[in-house]
Amino acid sequence: MPKRTDIRKILIIGSGPIVIGQACEFDYSGTQGCKALLEDGYEVVLVNSNPATIMTDPEFGHRTYVEPLTPEVLEAIIEKEKPKALLPTLGGQTGLNLAIELHRRGVLDRFNVELIGAKVHAIEKSEDRLIFKRTMAEIGIPVPKSVIATTLNDAQQLVRDIGFPCVIRPSFTLGGTGGGIAYNIEELVEIATRGLTLSPISEIMIEQSVIGWKEYELEVMRDHAENFVVICSIENVDAMGVHTGDSITVAPIQTLTDKEYQDMRDDAKRIINAIGVETGGANIQFAVHPRTGERVVIEMNPRVSRSSALASKATGFPIAKIAAKLAVGYRLDELPNDITKKTPACFEPTIDYCVVKIPRFTFEKFPGSDPTLGTQMKSVGETMSIGRTFKEALQKGLRSLEIGRYGLGADGKDKFNRERLIRRLNTPHPERIFYVKYALYEGLSIDEIANLTGIDPWFIENIREIIEVENQVKTSSFLVGCLDKLDQPESAAPQPGEQEEREFCAKLLRKAKQNGFSDRQIAHLTHTTEAQVCRLRKHLGIRPVFKAVDTCAGEFLAQTPYFYSAYDQTNESHPSDKKKIIILGGGPNRIGQGIEFDYCCVQAVIALKKDGYETIMINSNPETVSTDYDTADKLYFEPLTTEDVLHIIENEQPFGVIVQFGGQTPLNLAKFLEAAGVNILGTSPESIDLAEDRKRFGALLAQLGIPQAPNSAGYTYEEIEGIAHSIGYPLMVRPSYVLGGRAMEIVYDDAQLRVFMKEAGEVSPEHPILIDKFLDEAIEMDVDALADGNRVVICAIMEHIEQAGIHSGDSACVIPPRSLSPEILQTIRQYTEALGRGLNVRGLMNIQYAVKDGKVYVLEVNPRASRTVPYVSKSIGIPIARLAARIMVGKTLEELGFTEEPRIPFYTVKEAVLPFAKFPGCDIILGPEMRSTGEVMGIDPNYGLAFAKSQSAANSALPLEGGIFISLHDQDKPRFLPIAKRLHALGFRLYATRGTLEFLQSHGIQTQIVYKIAEGRPNVVDLMINNEIQMVINTPLDKDSKADQKAIRSNAIARNITLLTTIAAARAAVEGIESLRTTKPTLKALQDYHHELDIARKKCVK
Amino acid sequence: MAKKRAQLVLEDGLSFEGTAFGAEGEVFAEIVFNTSMTGYQEILTDPSYKGQMVVMTYPLIGNYGINDEDEESPRPQVSALIIKEGASLASNWRKKESLENYLERFNIIGLEDVDTRALVLHIREKGAMRAGLSTETLDPDVLLEKTLQSPSMVGQDLVRHVTPDAPYQFQPKLARLPTDDRRIYKIVAYDFGIKRNILNLVSAEGFDITVVPATTTAREVEDIRPAAVILSNGPGDPEALDYVIREVRRFLGKFPIFGICLGHQILGLALGGKTYKLKFGHRGANHPVIDVETKKVEITAQNHGFCVDPDSLDSSKVQITHWNLNDQTVEGLCHKELPAFSVQYHPEASPGPHDSRYLFARFRKMVEEHCGRA
């Protein structure tokens, strides 16, 4: 049956902000879904609070609502738009949960909206663990033994039937949030308490542990005619016990026979039918006992997922796109396979390479948190790599991670701690894969390591083989000999034995490359340099070829150019004679570099494609839209290192390379690429360096007459203390060798400075400490601007809601600015123009300013696309990344029709979303180090409402009534007074501990006393538990009460109580609450906002 | 690095140098590729690969070793195995032996360290062809000469190499369930290189199977008085099997017939059709086949180089029941009046998905209906 004609308008729910466990893979799936439905002529209504997504670009839907993902908002949108159908399976767990909630509230029935893709009963059957288990029992498929508990008491009783260790899984939470493994009753109590709180229905499952079993996943699809296919099989290197998102995984399955695999496939088919998934994709997880082969099913998700994104990238089969098509009535055999164009989508992809996915962690951002891996996901991103062998893919994947490694060790960065060996092996940890190698160095047998880690011997053997090659390279005097000879003039007559030596050398080098070694590793092993190894390699004719990802292992001709490198014989990637531009992506998501940069890359691709260029994308992040095979004209799934990127450039011979859009990753390569003769488009690496080098940049500012906070660098403690005194506290201090706000701190006195110095560790001539005057209580501004070498045009000025000192990525901000005088804004405009010219920017630039006492200071300039580009684009209705891309290929701002700073008659507020709930133990406090994983946007003509929407979208909705706990730093108290008055007038009950209470009371604000934790009961945490507190306003106090505050903030996060840590945020919150009380929020699609802007602009021109 | 070098040459002159994996020696055969990611043991032991060397498209082979259960015949049947990388450690709880040992034990040459994808693309473009693989003749020119002298697949009767010398009774490994009180029918299975899993699954449907050689005559079959006849899979060109086709025509209509793979081609030929050689065949476990009647798609296991020409069949008598969705070739047929049907693919899979096992029940039903009428 072809597509349905009885529905026209379809609602898609996005997954909201990027959080741990739900990242940009849902932008990828949502964008595919939108494109697929648009292509079939459906009207697409999209709701997603995340402005950084590509799917919320106005052209991917007819009506795009950037609004909070709450049942109330969705109901209002349904009422307004009257869609005939709701497709809930593309927006992750958020999308599914909301669909269920809308069903429960009767909204879907009331407005006659049909759920397509997954029906309510199927969602419930798979999501409710109890029903799932029952269903499995009915069809005779084994599951781990388990019990359900809804109270702590239950949990303690029932665990006796299960025994220890056991796994605790809260119902209906994301990415296993709140779950864990308990080895004893104490741990059970701790984890169960957390789980019961986090589960929206206060329910946890306690389950028989299958820790150490082999873990497998099948990505499957089904259509309404019951046609069933497995798209991809995945084997986890890390055994059961580590969340799949945190596991190193491999596709396809490596260590199961066909019999075992096909039996698993049979189970999967029966499960998807029994659950009642009508159409679409699903993933099903299995555990297999390593010694008996006993198999149990762990869970199934009736929707697209992170794994399905991985499966799509691993095979070339677009699961989300096909899922959308199946949902509107197509059958699998009616849809073509996009890659071959000739064969149908109804088949099982077969691959002829090995895919490795490696998670990316950022524990260094959350001091105090436990880096042990368990059933709750903690990674923030991932890389995927493709190789002809597991060894090659593993090493490629590790160097894609951008953790400063160039493969599986042997890169001069190994930090082996012998004492930790056993613990690192038997306790899952981000470093474990390296420790497997160290264990082999230490002489542990493969079986011993397998027993300690639960990792299958086959994988360990592969690591042993990597060591074998490593040793050959290390001990080969030939290789070093060959390297030496490179620099000598060619002798006319080759010496005897020279030919053999050369051949041996070539063979060994080729072998090392086939095993995934980077030139950097080989250089380390041979005590030479990367450049020398590269030269020798090329001299010996050892270069990679590129192989196609084609879904069919070469059985049919691939029409879609999607490639990976391999040291094999035949190259399949034949460059065209078109004018080509390579766009470098951002690599794995991590804090500080995420979906925003993928958005920029995709925008650049769209713009340059339209201008007739052949676009070539290079990236290693499987969650992204940029790595969809039909985004760019050509896709290389490769690590973003100089070596790997240069190989592609050598093959393609592009007109130029764009490094501006992928964040810091490609920027870091710019210098090396330019040195290799590559044409870097847009702002030159020289300008980038000028902006990033403190000294040079300081000189430029002085020359331009633009003030900067006083700053210096110190090499010894005495020197630093001297500088501190001459600049004066407070100071922003950081070690020079970490970038991106890491380990940055604000110190107020000598004592704090001393603590910082101690923690910073080594200070040496190579590693000075950078010292900046901290502009206390300044207002921070972000400016995004476009420049073409001649003209500089501001795209938007953003005013931070949190004061300076909080990383711009973690701060809420608003367009247009609200509290600055026209004179100040004029100064900002002048400075921006001067900097754009001074740095000779071609493309995008981002400048951060601080305004204090009427004076504007420049904090930093980034001559590249910034994190705020998608937010700005959606606010002003102009795709500025596209304009930037076109500037880079020679267009002027005038030609692009962008010559004036846009004004908007409404407010957009961007708010950061923080992952603290995932890192218990880490203090929840905003500072100069960025910690947020994602962002949301609130949009409304009323500022208070725009702010309120942003808070609601960030899952910390402003309360309209109830209790507020207040605890303030002394210096904040006077500024808080007017806020307190307004809160009091709004009828909130105010609670405070003694100090704050006395201050408020003395100003006539009625406040109730509450004990500090150490003072007695009931204390503030008791009140929070008893639901008496709906909001916490806590600005960081002096050190003495640190522990108390930490407990208060952790409890607020754990209980999802709105937490504000700055006065500015409190002020915005009051304004939001007042607006919410008096004004109805405006519900308008982005297209309508933008349309009004267009009309206004046209009028202006006339 | 102590492993021996080996040379592969295709009849059109393309050559690859790699490392020997398994036995050493020299062999000439048709070169084909299989796209299954798992199931190398079943593939190695499938008699339909007689006279062929198989390239596995999946690069990592041997990971789970060789076990006692997953063989389709008692020994490897392929002429040689060509892979990207053989596992040096096999890991699986059922493993009994490493792939390398197994190949060595049965004197099968393996080749690794070659660009298997380049090789596969070449076969896809140029078609399946003769090839020579040697650890002895390392000069590609000399090996090419020898290869060109080896016989071609077309017109070759390879069945005689794999069919048994005399009839025998199939002994199922698993006893039938005591609850299975269905009537047991006695049937005949022509063994042109039958895969063990066909016998297992047919037997499980309630049949006692007499396995007979390819040369068995219609009269000899009648003497056994079977309830039905199965025409099995097997290697090579079906048109070379005129002695079988002739006998099948004789008992067509007398007994229900179920043909699988080569058996399907034989039935097609017996029904007056023609077969032709596909460029590079279908070998893998992911081929979509649509059932014309139910419109359902099954993902099938396939292994064939020849195919029945649909235009050659008398459409008043023969109906095409299954089509391949990739290339619209015939995947199944039945006689409109007589009890006979066949499929080109492998309902017993092994390796491959189990989507098509319903055909064994369909066969049972046909037998029951026919016997009820008779």
Side-chain angles (χ1 to χ4, degrees), chain A residues 214 225-229 252 254-263 265-266 269 288-293 331 333 342-344 346-354 388-391 446 456-458 461-462 464-465 472 511 514 547-548 550 552-557 568-570 572, chain B residues 1 5 15-16 33 35-39 42 57-60 62-64 67 69-70 72 84-85 87-94 113-118 120-121 124-125 197 280-283 285-288 290 294-299 325-327 350-355 357:
Chain A
K214 290 151 78 90
E226 280 184 54
N227 291 318
F228 167 90
V229 288
Q254 302 294 333
T255 62
L256 290 185
T257 66
D258 186 68
K259 295 274 173 298
E260 292 141 18
Y261 165 67
Q262 298 299 346
D263 285 348
R265 181 184 182 277
D266 287 349
K269 193 173 178 180
V288 173
H289 193 286
R291 280 177 300 280
T292 64
R331 291 166 41 130
D333 54 302
K342 289 198 175 115
T343 56
C346 190
F347 81 116
E348 302 198 338
T350 184
I351 63 184
D352 56 1
Y353 43 81
C354 180
R388 295 287 284 156
T389 63
F390 171 71
K391 298 179 278 272
I446 288 179
D456 191 279
W458 186 83
E461 163 65 14
N462 271 275
R464 193 198 59 77
E465 287 166 21
Q472 283 171 16
K511 190 170 172 191
Q514 284 174 336
K547 298 279 185 195
D550 63 5
C552 60
E555 188 173 0
F556 306 100
L557 183 66
D568 232 329
Q569 215 167 324
T570 312
E572 291 173 43
Chain B
M1 284 210 150
R5 307 301 301 160
S15 68
F16 290 84
F33 64 84
T35 62
S36 291
M37 293 182 283
T38 49
E42 293 90 328
T57 60
Y58 189 66
L60 310 175
N63 301 0
Y64 51 78
N67 61 47
E69 294 142 4
D70 299 351
E72 287 303 316
K84 174 73 194 166
E85 182 181 86
S88 45
L89 179 149
S91 174
N92 185 280
W93 61 94
R94 294 197 294 142
D113 282 346
V114 288
D115 188 341
T116 43
R117 183 166 164 93
V120 166
L121 296 193
R124 179 187 82 201
E125 294 303 319
N197 209 38
F280 55 89
H282 297 164
R283 287 173 194 87
N286 69 340
H287 294 81
I290 191 158
T294 62
K295 294 272 184 290
K296 276 203 66 173
V297 181
E298 48 207 280
I299 303 301
L325 287 176
N326 282 343
D327 61 3
S350 196
H354 302 156
D355 290 4
R357 288 190 169 173

Side-chain angles (χ1 to χ4, degrees), chain A residues 40 184 289 312 333 340 367 383 407 461 614 765 910 931 936 1070:
Chain A
D40 275 326
N184 56 47
H289 193 286
S312 295
D333 54 302
T340 64
T383 63
E461 163 65 14
E614 180 175 307
K910 186 206 83 171
R931 267 110 164 248
V936 291
V1070 180

Side-chain angles (χ1 to χ4, degrees), chain A residues 190-359:
Chain A
E190 185 196 324
I191 301 169
T193 310
R194 187 172 73 213
L196 286 166
T197 316
L198 288 176
S199 165
I201 56 168
S202 283
E203 182 187 281
I204 55 166
M205 174 182 279
I206 306 173
E207 200 172 59
Q208 168 204 353
S209 163
V210 283
I211 293 169
W213 290 31
K214 290 151 78 90
E215 186 170 347
Y216 295 96
E217 199 168 328
L218 297 186
E219 296 301 321
V220 305
M221 296 206 81
R222 187 202 124 120
D223 66 18
H224 65 80
E226 280 184 54
N227 291 318
F228 167 90
V229 288
V230 176
I231 303 305
C232 188
S233 69
I234 299 172
E235 175 162 352
N236 289 14
V237 174
D238 295 289
M240 286 294 300
V242 180
H243 191 282
T244 297
D246 286 354
S247 296
I248 297 177
T249 65
V250 181
I253 287 175
Q254 302 294 333
T255 62
L256 290 185
T257 66
D258 186 68
K259 295 274 173 298
E260 292 141 18
Y261 165 67
Q262 298 299 346
D263 285 348
M264 191 182 277
R265 181 184 182 277
D266 287 349
D267 280 1
K269 193 173 178 180
R270 287 167 61 212
I271 292 168
I272 194 169
N273 286 337
I275 295 296
V277 175
E278 221 170 42
T279 71
N283 65 61
I284 308 175
Q285 248 173 289
F286 294 93
V288 173
H289 193 286
R291 280 177 300 280
T292 64
E294 182 188 345
R295 179 176 62 247
V296 294
V297 59
I298 303 298
E299 65 170 38
M300 89 86 92
N301 286 305
R303 56 171 172 86
V304 303
S305 61
R306 184 178 41 261
S307 306
S308 71
L310 180 71
S312 295
K313 301 295 163 66
T315 60
F317 188 103
I319 294 176
K321 172 182 176 171
I322 300 292
K325 300 259 185 194
L326 298 181
V328 294
Y330 285 106
R331 291 166 41 130
L332 277 165
D333 54 302
E334 291 170 336
L335 299 167
N337 173 348
D338 280 346
I339 301 266
T340 64
K341 309 276 188 210
K342 289 198 175 115
T343 56
C346 190
F347 81 116
E348 302 198 338
T350 184
I351 63 184
D352 56 1
Y353 43 81
C354 180
V355 177
V356 174
K357 175 216 85 175
I358 309 179

Side-chain angles (χ1 to χ4, degrees), chain A residues 657-732:
Chain A
V657 175
I658 294 183
V659 297
Q660 241 187 59
F661 292 123
Q664 202 59 40
T665 300
L667 221 52
N668 291 343
L669 303 183
K671 237 190 289 178
F672 303 103
L673 295 181
E674 195 180 46
V678 176
N679 177 23
I680 304 288
L681 298 177
T683 311
S684 69
E686 161 63 18
S687 288
I688 296 169
D689 189 63
L690 179 55
E692 287 190 345
D693 184 309
R694 269 168 79 92
K695 269 214 182 102
R696 295 185 64 196
F697 184 61
L700 175 72
L701 288 181
Q703 186 198 325
L704 296 173
I706 298 175
Q708 191 184 17
N711 64 78
S712 190
Y715 297 89
T716 64
Y717 178 72
E718 290 70 32
E719 193 187 346
I720 290 163
E721 207 179 42
I723 294 167
H725 292 158
S726 76
I727 295 179
Y729 289 107
L731 295 170
M732 177 100 76

Side-chain angles (χ1 to χ4, degrees), chain A residues 9-13 37 43-47 65 74 77-78 81 83-88 102 108 113 116:
Chain A
K9 205 186 233 187
I10 300 172
L11 174 66
I12 294 182
I13 306 178
L37 296 180
E43 204 175 319
V44 173
V45 180
L46 170 69
V47 190
Y65 289 89
L74 281 160
I77 290 170
I78 288 172
E81 293 289 345
K84 274 295 241 202
L86 165 59
L87 180 54
L102 290 170
L108 300 182
V113 184
I116 56 173

Side-chain angles (χ1 to χ4, degrees), chain A residues 24-93:
Chain A
C24 63
E25 65 270 17
F26 295 108
D27 188 29
Y28 164 65
S29 56
T31 304
Q32 268 198 353
C34 291
K35 269 159 66 178
L37 296 180
L38 290 178
E39 185 182 278
D40 275 326
Y42 292 101
E43 204 175 319
V44 173
V45 180
L46 170 69
V47 190
N48 193 351
S49 55
N50 184 349
T53 49
I54 291 137
M55 72 192 299
T56 53
D57 220 38
E59 67 187 48
F60 288 105
H62 290 94
R63 319 277 300 153
T64 305
Y65 289 89
V66 179
E67 295 287 339
L69 290 168
T70 64
E72 295 78 18
V73 169
L74 281 160
E75 179 173 355
I77 290 170
I78 288 172
E79 186 173 2
K80 190 172 168 202
E81 293 289 345
K82 306 218 163 41
K84 274 295 241 202
L86 165 59
L87 180 54
T89 52
L90 303 178
Q93 195 65 42

Side-chain angles (χ1 to χ4, degrees), chain B residues 122-355:
Chain B
H122 186 79
I123 298 170
R124 179 187 82 201
E125 294 303 319
K126 302 287 156 68
M129 62 180 89
R130 285 172 293 168
L133 171 63
S134 179
T135 57
E136 286 146 14
T137 313
L138 294 181
D139 182 338
D141 294 336
V142 179
L143 194 59
L144 177 60
E145 274 309 302
K146 288 183 166 179
T147 305
L148 289 171
Q149 282 157 26
S150 67
S152 137
M153 174 70 83
V154 177
Q156 246 201 93
D157 174 9
L158 290 166
V159 167
R160 62 198 164 89
H161 298 293
V162 288
T163 193
D165 298 331
Y168 67 92
Q169 219 37 50
F170 173 68
Q171 302 297 335
K173 232 184 198 168
L174 293 171
R176 274 182 204 101
L177 293 174
T179 50
D180 187 355
D181 54 0
R182 286 179 300 178
R183 180 178 158 191
I184 305 295
Y185 293 99
K186 192 163 81 173
I187 61 165
V188 157
Y190 265 92
D191 180 353
F192 308 123
I194 198 162
K195 284 171 72 185
R196 186 167 292 166
N197 209 38
I198 295 181
L199 294 169
N200 285 335
L201 294 177
V202 169
S203 157
E205 285 295 335
F207 295 106
D208 271 348
I209 311 167
T210 306
V211 183
V212 302
T215 49
T216 309
T217 63
R219 178 156 304 231
E220 284 165 331
V221 171
E222 277 166 36
D223 287 346
I224 300 170
R225 303 170 67 84
V229 175
I230 284 182
L231 305 174
S232 87
N233 64 298
D237 186 345
E239 291 194 0
L241 304 176
D242 50 345
Y243 60 97
V244 181
I245 298 159
R246 185 185 63 218
E247 300 304 313
V248 173
R249 274 198 197 114
R250 287 189 178 140
F251 60 71
L252 182 70
K254 288 184 187 162
F255 312 113
I257 298 174
F258 180 19
I260 294 173
C261 200
L262 180 70
H264 156 82
Q265 294 159 3
I266 290 171
L267 181 63
L269 290 166
L271 290 170
K274 283 199 163 18
T275 56
Y276 61 96
K277 194 168 194 300
L278 292 163
K279 193 171 180 188
F280 55 89
H282 297 164
R283 287 173 194 87
N286 69 340
H287 294 81
V289 166
I290 191 158
D291 183 326
V292 172
E293 203 178 314
T294 62
K295 294 272 184 290
K296 276 203 66 173
V297 181
E298 48 207 280
I299 303 301
T300 66
Q302 304 216 356
N303 172 19
H304 62 109
F306 292 85
C307 201
V308 174
D309 177 1
D311 299 331
S312 71
L313 294 164
D314 178 354
S315 61
S316 67
K317 285 194 187 121
V318 182
Q319 191 186 333
I320 307 298
T321 56
H322 295 79
W323 294 100
N324 186 310
L325 287 176
N326 282 343
D327 61 3
Q328 284 71 49
T329 53
V330 174
E331 289 290 352
L333 58 83
C334 72
H335 195 282
K336 285 183 172 170
E337 286 136 26
L338 304 176
F341 76 98
S342 61
V343 286
Q344 179 62 71
Y345 53 96
H346 287 267
E348 84 288 358
S350 196
H354 302 156
D355 290 4

